[in-house]
């Protein structure tokens, strides 16, 4: 299936000069959504990446992470922006182009030593995925892989991710 044909390009969003890759058009297509989840599942299984947990970042990582966790027989763990989780949290701050941001996960969400996959819709500069990896590793989990629908290769996000951890992407621009 040609996933690129299901991804809409939106020029000058969120600011002039940016070409936004919009997956909402992919998500609304039942066959495209099924193919995306099935393909990520197959690629993780082929790489023998068996996780206890799939971690997805707010918010599009939730959309793909939950069905992927279901297919892999793993639990799903949401990583959220500050103030969204009701219980005690672990947190990590990270640098953005325009300032700082913070990600949080419930303190009781992950068991130390557990194998974890991190998934999101897009790998761009790698900041959010890298911060999530640090959060997972600070808890003492074993980060075994990353999965993305889209990878923007020119932004070199893979260089921000931990060495030796497999990265799976379905579409590259």
């Amino acid at each position: 299936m040609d996933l690129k044909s299901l991804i809409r390009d939106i020029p000058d969003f969120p600011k002039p000069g940016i070409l936004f890759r919009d997956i909402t058009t992919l998500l609304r297509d039942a066959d495209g959504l099924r193919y995306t989840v099935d393909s990520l599942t197959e690629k993780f299984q082929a790489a023998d990446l068996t996780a206890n947990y799939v971690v997805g970042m707010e918010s599009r990582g939730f959309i793909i992470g939950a069905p992927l966790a279901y297919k892999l027989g793993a639990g799903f763990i949401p990583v959220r922006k500050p103030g969204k989780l009701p219980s005690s949290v672990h947190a990590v701050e990270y640098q953005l182009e325009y300032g700082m941001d913070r990600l949080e996960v419930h303190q009781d969400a992950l068991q130390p030593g557990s194998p974890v996959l991190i998934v999101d819709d897009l790998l761009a500069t790698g900041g959010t995925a890298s911060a999530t990896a640090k959060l997972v590793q600070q808890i003492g989990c074993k980060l075994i892989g990353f999965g993305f629908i889209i990878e923007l290769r020119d932004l070199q996000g893979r260089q921000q991710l931990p060495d030796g951890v497999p990265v799976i992407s379905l579409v590259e621009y």
Side-chain angles (χ1 to χ4, degrees):
M1 176 175 281
D2 180 13
L3 289 180
K4 283 186 179 182
S5 70
L6 298 174
I7 298 168
R8 174 173 44 192
D9 293 342
I10 301 178
D12 299 321
F13 183 84
K15 61 184 184 178
I18 302 292
L19 179 61
F20 187 80
R21 307 293 183 171
D22 179 20
I23 65 161
T24 62
T25 47
L26 166 64
L27 298 173
R28 77 175 176 204
D29 186 279
D31 292 334
L33 177 58
R34 185 178 302 104
Y35 179 84
T36 298
V37 173
D38 289 348
S39 293
L40 283 170
T41 300
E42 290 165 10
K43 288 179 181 291
F44 282 130
Q45 290 172 336
D48 200 28
L49 298 175
T50 303
N52 290 3
Y53 303 107
V54 172
V55 171
M57 294 83 87
E58 188 165 344
S59 65
R60 290 178 301 270
F62 298 174
I63 296 168
I64 201 70
L68 180 63
Y70 172 79
K71 293 278 290 189
L72 291 171
F76 176 73
I77 308 299
V79 169
R80 308 269 339 245
K81 301 219 174 179
K84 303 281 185 173
L85 293 172
S87 190
S88 299
V89 298
H90 293 291
V92 63
E93 289 190 354
Y94 66 104
Q95 184 72 42
L96 297 170
E97 301 156 18
Y98 49 86
M100 297 294 289
D101 207 348
R102 179 179 161 113
L103 295 172
E104 298 178 343
V105 66
H106 276 137
Q107 286 183 359
D108 61 356
L110 295 162
Q111 298 298 316
S114 299
V116 172
L117 294 168
I118 294 175
V119 299
D120 205 357
D121 66 322
L122 176 78
L123 176 60
T125 62
T128 304
S130 175
T132 303
K134 288 176 186 163
L135 187 59
V136 163
Q137 291 172 323
Q138 285 173 3
I139 294 168
C141 293
K142 182 179 179 187
L143 177 58
I144 62 169
F146 292 93
F148 303 96
I149 299 172
I150 300 169
E151 182 175 357
L152 304 177
R153 296 290 290 205
D154 288 347
L155 297 179
Q156 301 177 359
R158 282 184 188 232
Q159 293 180 358
Q160 302 304 314
L161 304 180
D163 289 335
V165 179
V167 177
I168 293 169
S169 55
L170 299 181
V171 177
E172 295 179 357
Y173 289 95

